Amino acid sequence: MKRWFRLVIGAACLLGVAGCSHLEGYLDIAREKGMSAEYLTVLKQWTRSQIVYSQFETRVHIGATYRSPEFKEAYLQEYARLYNLGDGEKKARQEIQAALESDFDEFIFYAYIPEKTSNDFDRRGSIWSIFLINGKGERIDPVEVRRIDPVTPVVTEFFPYVNPYYGISYQLRFPPLAKSGSASGPVKLVFASVIGKVELEFGGR
């Protein structure tokens, strides 16, 4: 009886999390809130997600957005539209964005893990190993993994798959691929641990 009850509860949790994992559902919600179709199209193009299951249970769910030059431009345009920025303010933000782009390749990722103590990607000695596999098959380690705190409405509106009540959001930075000559071809973002392995592939520039 107890085993049957655990299976039923596990199946219910699985369906609940899996239903929320579909990016299309989140995009529909964001569209209803007033986000433009143009921005959401680019967001979808540069966002990947994966869930690792164990029988009826979700072990880890990760969604990530690659802040590619195309995505950054779409983000800036949408931000300027929502905040009604003038040309001067928009140009200043473009200059800041261009400077940052030359220093890092950046991802935003959101992780839901039922065992909350394992959601420790930013901690020294984390159970997780994070790295990129570039188009040449080379491994690249991050230079920074930082928890996004606080998670403001700007974060949840622009990245609608982020749910601060269940998971944690992070900013992830790598050395710029363009400077190393490895920007061409797809890149694979990998999260590996004893809990499971998540591999998210993004198209090349």
Side-chain angles (χ1 to χ4, degrees), residues 43-54:
L43 174 67
K44 180 180 179 181
Q45 179 183 353
W46 292 102
T47 299
R48 302 288 185 272
S49 66
Q50 185 180 338
I51 303 176
V52 175
Y53 299 108
S54 176

Side-chain angles (χ1 to χ4, degrees), residues 17 28 37 44 46 103 119 121 139 181 205:
V17 176
D28 288 340
K44 180 180 179 181
W46 292 102
D103 293 331
N119 202 337
F121 295 86
R139 170 174 169 151
R205 297 187 177 194

Side-chain angles (χ1 to χ4, degrees), residues 106-141:
E106 187 175 273
F107 294 80
I108 298 295
F109 77 92
Y110 165 82
Y112 164 76
I113 303 175
E115 184 58 52
K116 295 184 184 298
T117 57
S118 297
N119 202 337
D120 66 346
F121 295 86
D122 61 330
R123 184 176 63 83
R124 186 183 297 274
S126 168
I127 68 167
W128 293 94
S129 175
I130 308 174
F131 53 93
L132 274 181
I133 300 295
N134 65 22
K136 298 178 179 179
E138 300 166 332
R139 170 174 169 151
I140 304 172
D141 294 319

Side-chain angles (χ1 to χ4, degrees), residues 9-57:
I9 294 299
C13 293
L14 172 62
L15 291 173
V17 176
C20 293
S21 72
H22 295 297
L23 184 61
E24 288 291 348
Y26 291 124
L27 296 182
D28 288 340
I29 294 172
R31 192 174 292 111
E32 291 171 2
K33 290 183 176 182
M35 303 299 284
S36 72
E38 291 78 11
Y39 170 74
L40 294 177
T41 297
V42 178
L43 174 67
K44 180 180 179 181
Q45 179 183 353
W46 292 102
T47 299
R48 302 288 185 272
S49 66
Q50 185 180 338
I51 303 176
V52 175
Y53 299 108
S54 176
Q55 296 180 342
F56 286 98
E57 296 181 351

Side-chain angles (χ1 to χ4, degrees), residues 167-192:
I168 298 174
S169 302
Y170 301 87
Q171 182 182 59
L172 182 60
R173 286 177 168 173
F174 290 90
L177 296 175
K179 287 186 177 180
S180 64
S182 56
S184 61
V187 296
K188 186 179 294 184
L189 179 60
V190 181
F191 303 86

